[in-house]
Amino acid sequence: MSHAQGTLGPADHTLVIERVSKRFEGVAALADVSLQVGAGQIVGLIGPNGAGKTTLINLITGIHTVTSGRIRFNGRDVTHAPAHEVARAGLARTFQNIRLLAEATVIENIMIGFYRLETTPSLSSLLGLPAAHRETQRIRQRAMALLERFEMAHLAQAEAGSLAYGHQRRVEMMRAMASDPALVLFDEPVAGMNDVEAAAMGRIFDGLRREGRAVLLVEHNIRFVTQLCDQVYVLDSGRLIAAGSPREVVAHPDVITAYLGRPRAHKER
Ligand SMILES: Nc1ncnc2c1ncn2[C@@H]1O[C@H](COP(=O)(O)OP(=O)(O)OP(=O)(O)O)[C@@H](O)[C@H]1O
Ligand SMILES: [Mg+2]
């Protein structure tokens, strides 16, 4: 794959977050957060509600701007790059709340992902010129190839809003993958899924890793994260409280406290 970055040394990462802070009207949503994601790595980002996980994704994607710190992507400083520029540089995301055109078909929803990359204004498509028609056919074929890979080709013509929740999530993923991104950010991709659906999702993530993509995975499902991720970072109230292998992180006392609350003074045995 073109994004494999075979010439980079082991110290180089696709995504490098350096001491990033973000304040919203005086409230510190993130404080001094550093994190790296390498090509062919799935990095988990966990933490209780309001910890700052989605805020970090919004900063990386250029939806919000940092208060301080630096963000580098594929060796480029994108700290102040607008969202469309970061997307063009090879970054894609999904959202915490599903965002599909419910009344459009599955394949149309995925085709949108390809159209987003178009550089020329679509005057020719407005005028119905043959070149635009050929382009649409080409995009339809590529969307179909993605559907086959995600084992959803049989649902290509289904109305997106009529699909089961797990399938809607997959459509979102395919739309994100349309741009052939080097880095993908997923915000709670298996929330609300049963174990079977989550396992299917896990295999898809594993495939992305094998293709050499860098994946940042925000998830509340700890079991899913620890089974899948190479590295895990833990945020609590905007601060990183732990980072390391899944095994190290789940055994960390601060992580246990963040998830279970402070241990009671008088504990029953
Ligand atoms: N646009 C915004 N304006 C003001 N405050 C915000 C904004 N976005 C997030 N915040 C605040 O920043 C903090 C972190 O929120 P964030 O959504 O990043 O948490 P999260 O870790 O994604 O939580 P959850 O697990 O519930 O999705 C919260 O206190 C939130 O209220
Ligand atoms: Mg969130």
Side-chain angles (χ1 to χ4, degrees):
M1 203 190 69
S2 57
H3 298 306
Q5 302 283 358
T7 53
L8 290 179
D12 297 279
H13 288 92
T14 306
L15 176 70
V16 181
I17 308 279
E18 287 174 338
R19 308 198 60 178
V20 158
S21 297
K22 175 65 178 178
R23 300 184 75 85
F24 288 111
E25 293 144 13
V27 176
L30 288 172
D32 222 11
V33 170
S34 297
L35 166 160
Q36 298 93 39
V37 189
Q41 255 194 342
I42 304 179
V43 171
L45 180 61
I46 62 172
N49 293 118
K53 306 179 297 295
T54 299
T55 299
L56 188 62
I57 289 186
N58 287 338
L59 293 175
I60 298 165
T61 51
I63 289 180
H64 291 148
T65 50
V66 303
T67 304
S68 62
R70 223 156 65 111
I71 301 174
R72 280 190 298 153
F73 173 44
N74 268 344
R76 271 179 54 190
D77 190 324
V78 295
T79 313
H80 297 288
H84 67 268
E85 211 176 293
V86 190
R88 242 179 241 296
L91 184 147
R93 76 173 290 182
T94 63
F95 291 88
Q96 192 163 348
N97 302 310
I98 289 179
R99 296 188 186 182
L100 293 176
L101 297 176
E103 279 157 31
T105 63
V106 164
I107 195 160
E108 284 163 351
N109 270 280
I110 297 167
M111 288 172 73
I112 290 167
F114 289 98
Y115 281 119
R116 273 191 199 151
L117 299 174
E118 296 295 289
T119 45
T120 49
S122 47
L123 182 62
S124 52
S125 66
L126 282 176
L127 299 175
L129 298 181
H133 180 69
R134 277 197 300 276
E135 182 65 8
T136 302
Q137 287 310 105
R138 198 176 60 83
I139 286 174
R140 186 178 294 278
Q141 278 166 12
R142 290 171 66 189
M144 204 58 212
L146 264 178
L147 275 161
E148 272 155 23
R149 222 180 89 203
F150 281 72
E151 294 170 13
M152 277 184 59
H154 60 293
L155 293 170
Q157 302 304 329
E159 209 175 82
S162 73
L163 296 183
Y165 184 79
H167 281 129
Q168 292 196 22
R169 278 274 173 214
R170 272 202 248 178
V171 174
E172 274 208 310
M173 278 185 74
M174 285 181 266
R175 191 173 55 190
M177 298 314 295
S179 58
D180 190 20
L183 170 67
V184 205
L185 314 175
F186 293 107
D187 201 349
E188 303 198 21
V190 304
M193 283 191 188
N194 62 39
D195 284 351
V196 176
E197 289 172 324
M201 220 51 170
R203 289 192 292 277
I204 290 170
F205 284 114
D206 204 38
L208 301 182
R209 167 164 52 199
R210 276 187 271 111
E211 289 167 359
R213 299 182 207 273
V215 176
L216 182 65
L217 176 66
V218 167
E219 216 358 280
H220 275 292
N221 185 332
I222 304 282
R223 193 148 57 102
F224 185 77
V225 167
T226 52
Q227 283 174 358
L228 195 63
C229 292
D230 302 292
Q231 285 280 309
V232 179
Y233 291 82
V234 189
L235 274 177
D236 187 20
S237 304
R239 290 174 309 108
L240 271 183
I241 57 168
S245 70
R247 190 188 287 268
E248 286 164 345
V249 155
V250 294
H252 196 292
D254 290 350
V255 176
I256 295 166
T257 306
Y259 274 90
L260 301 178
R262 305 206 171 275
R264 299 237 173 106
H266 303 289
K267 227 181 180 177
E268 285 186 16
R269 290 190 165 247

